[in-house]
Amino acid sequence: MTRYPTIADVSASLASKQTTSRKLVDAAIAAIDDPAGQGSKAFIRRNDARARAMADASDVLRGAGQVRSPLEGIAISVKDLFDFAGEVTTAGSVANNQSAPATADAPVVQALVRAGAVITGTTNMSEFAFSGLGLNPHYGTPLNVYDRSTGRIPGGSSSGAAVSVTDGMAVAAIGTDTGGSIRIPAAFCGLAGFKPTASRVSREHVLPLSTSLDSIGPISASVACCAVIDAIISGETDRSIRPIPLAGLRLAVPQTVVLNDMDDHVAASFAATLSLLSAAGAHIVEIDVPEFAQLATINAKGGLIAAEAWHWHRNLLESRGDTYDHRVRSRILRGRDMSAADYIDVLEARTAWQLGVNDKLASFDAILLPTVPTIAPTVASLEADDATFFAANGLTLRNPSIINFLDGCALSVPCHTAGSAPVGLMIAGGPMTDAKVLSVGLAIEHALNAKAA
């Protein structure tokens, strides 16, 4: 597995005066500007002068002995859904570029700035965050660092977020996750990604897709990086996450739905990981979760996403609908045909479904499943055919979206062998088990890294 610079790595270089924030940010900007790279497709909004000024300020503070957080002076990218005062939040769309500028920075942005992070810009995404694949017909699709000559997708919707990290344009990225939009690009690109329990991180001044399912979290080089950023953007900066010994952990592996349609490489990587954890003393328990098979029926009319997306988009679709990506527009329009009774039916079904799932998970430290059952498909195959696109989108979103419907939390960590196609292992838990999931994730990541060493 490729090792990317971690927050700890960069912080150590800054602390030892081997480099400065300004040098690091200049290097990140150079990577974005590189005509041979993916910067023009990975970023939508940039303010290089602001980034350099933030880096200079950080260097002055560090020189005076002031370090505000582990993110001090470190380059971070932010998905194009987040408000920056005075800027138009486009959400990866041209339909929204005539909207009024934001009146304030999003609280997540404010938290990053207070922590001393240097924001390099806002990253590309599936239009309005409505796809797990990352294609964008307006701004282009940044290519996955793996097998770039073939041209594979980075995953979505936080596509540019992942590419900004793999290509040295940021040390970490902030994304959103409604049905896997942090974990999918992390899995496809060989990174760590964390979707927290939604209520823990403010979604104010973040353009919504589904108010019931949206959550905000990091994509970065390691679980430790995710834990640092999660603590800062959630305001839980006094929290300390440490690995839990693997010996004795009870880890559930659901057998219902989530292992279907795995390609051979994902299946082999997942099986090898389970064997590694079992050898380390973890108790791997196969369980049936029949509720997972009920989700397709519960969401048959479009579910919460379609209804809540239609609520937000209905006026913009009327005035600017012809400028939308047709694949996004068609899914939002499903919400137009849902009645209030249909919406309430889904809410009620979700409550009962959550009770059933949480009861089955209560005796386990975490559940394990493949983040995505396939490796990243090619851009060309998805652009060419709507049926291929929608089939791939549904399969890609299937596993991670279960955790959003649960209102749970989940990590994706790389579990493939070095040099092979990236594969993500999802480590998940129920609502507000974030600290436990991160601790289990740290232990599993350490075991995987030790094997790879």
Side-chain angles (χ1 to χ4, degrees), residues 3 5 8 52 61 95 128 144 182 215 269 288 296 307 337 355 384 398 417 452:
R3 187 182 187 280
R52 289 186 169 112
L61 285 172
F128 291 116
N144 194 322
I182 288 169
S215 56
S269 300
D288 293 319
D337 300 323
L355 288 172
R398 184 195 67 198
T417 55

Side-chain angles (χ1 to χ4, degrees), residues 54 63 72 85 130 163 180 207 231 240 269 280 342 364 369 389 405 418 433:
M54 293 172 77
E72 183 68 66
F130 211 169
V163 174
L207 198 150
S240 178
S269 300
D342 293 331
F364 296 98
L369 57 157
F389 174 91
F405 205 71
T433 63

Side-chain angles (χ1 to χ4, degrees), residues 124-209:
N124 198 0
M125 52 185 284
S126 307
E127 184 182 47
F128 291 116
F130 211 169
S131 163
L133 302 178
L135 270 62
N136 190 304
H138 311 299
Y139 299 99
T141 302
L143 298 178
N144 194 322
V145 71
Y146 171 73
D147 194 13
R148 194 158 275 171
S149 60
T150 300
R152 295 185 183 275
I153 63 166
S157 61
S158 306
S159 53
V163 174
S164 75
V165 176
T166 61
D167 286 35
M169 305 168 193
V171 176
I174 303 298
T176 64
D177 190 311
T178 306
S181 290
I182 288 169
R183 291 160 288 158
I184 292 166
F188 280 162
C189 294
L191 296 166
F194 181 57
K195 173 244 176 297
T197 302
S199 62
R200 289 184 52 251
V201 180
S202 172
R203 290 167 285 174
E204 186 181 355
H205 282 280
V206 182
L207 198 150
L209 175 57

Side-chain angles (χ1 to χ4, degrees), residues 268-286:
S269 300
F270 185 63
T273 300
L274 296 183
S275 295
L276 174 69
L277 298 177
S278 180
H283 300 295
I284 307 297
V285 183
E286 296 180 353

Side-chain angles (χ1 to χ4, degrees), residues 20-365:
T20 65
S21 179
R22 177 58 182 267
K23 288 178 181 177
L24 292 172
V25 169
D26 282 343
I29 291 171
I32 300 170
D33 287 334
D34 183 355
Q38 297 294 302
S40 63
K41 294 179 180 178
F43 281 78
I44 291 180
R45 288 183 283 156
R46 292 172 57 184
N47 189 328
D48 295 352
R50 177 176 60 197
R52 289 186 169 112
M54 293 172 77
D56 289 342
S58 177
D59 287 333
V60 169
L61 285 172
R62 188 180 290 275
Q66 300 298 311
V67 177
R68 289 168 285 184
S69 86
L71 292 185
E72 183 68 66
I74 291 178
I76 303 289
S77 69
V78 176
K79 191 174 181 178
D80 198 53
L81 285 176
F82 290 77
D83 281 356
F84 286 77
E87 299 180 14
V88 175
T89 306
T90 59
S93 178
V94 297
N96 212 40
N97 61 13
Q98 296 179 5
S99 299
T103 57
D105 290 347
V108 165
V109 172
Q110 295 175 30
L112 292 170
V113 172
R114 286 195 303 269
V118 178
I119 298 172
T120 54
T122 65
T123 51
N124 198 0
M125 52 185 284
S126 307
E127 184 182 47
F128 291 116
F130 211 169
S131 163
L133 302 178
L135 270 62
N136 190 304
H138 311 299
Y139 299 99
T141 302
L143 298 178
N144 194 322
V145 71
Y146 171 73
D147 194 13
R148 194 158 275 171
S149 60
T150 300
R152 295 185 183 275
I153 63 166
S157 61
S158 306
S159 53
V163 174
S164 75
V165 176
T166 61
D167 286 35
M169 305 168 193
V171 176
I174 303 298
T176 64
D177 190 311
T178 306
S181 290
I182 288 169
R183 291 160 288 158
I184 292 166
F188 280 162
C189 294
L191 296 166
F194 181 57
K195 173 244 176 297
T197 302
S199 62
R200 289 184 52 251
V201 180
S202 172
R203 290 167 285 174
E204 186 181 355
H205 282 280
V206 182
L207 198 150
L209 175 57
S210 168
T211 53
S212 294
L213 303 173
D214 293 345
S215 56
I216 295 166
I219 297 175
S220 55
S222 71
V223 176
C225 295
C226 288
V228 165
I229 295 171
D230 175 71
I232 287 169
I233 64 176
S234 68
E236 299 174 10
T237 51
D238 59 344
R239 174 168 52 76
S240 178
I241 301 296
R242 293 181 176 84
I244 296 175
L246 288 172
L249 285 183
R250 285 175 49 81
L251 303 173
V253 179
Q255 303 296 294
T256 313
V257 174
V258 299
L259 303 182
N260 296 349
D261 303 311
M262 281 192 292
D263 66 32
D264 290 344
H265 179 58
V266 172
S269 300
F270 185 63
T273 300
L274 296 183
S275 295
L276 174 69
L277 298 177
S278 180
H283 300 295
I284 307 297
V285 183
E286 296 180 353
I287 64 170
D288 293 319
V289 189
E291 287 85 356
F292 289 179
Q294 298 167 7
L295 271 182
T297 300
I298 292 172
N299 292 314
K301 294 183 179 181
L304 299 175
I305 293 180
E308 292 169 357
W310 168 248
H311 168 74
W312 192 94
H313 284 272
R314 63 193 191 277
N315 293 329
L316 188 60
L317 277 168
E318 183 176 350
S319 61
R320 301 271 289 164
D322 60 334
T323 66
Y324 277 60
D325 175 357
H326 74 278
R327 292 168 170 173
V328 171
R329 183 177 65 244
S330 66
R331 277 172 287 157
I332 295 173
L333 288 173
R334 294 186 70 193
R336 179 180 59 184
D337 300 323
M338 289 182 66
S339 67
D342 293 331
Y343 180 67
I344 293 170
D345 283 344
V346 177
L347 291 174
E348 291 179 342
R350 185 190 189 196
T351 298
W353 184 92
Q354 288 172 328
L355 288 172
V357 175
N358 282 321
D359 181 64
K360 292 175 179 63
L361 303 185
S363 64
F364 296 98
D365 294 293

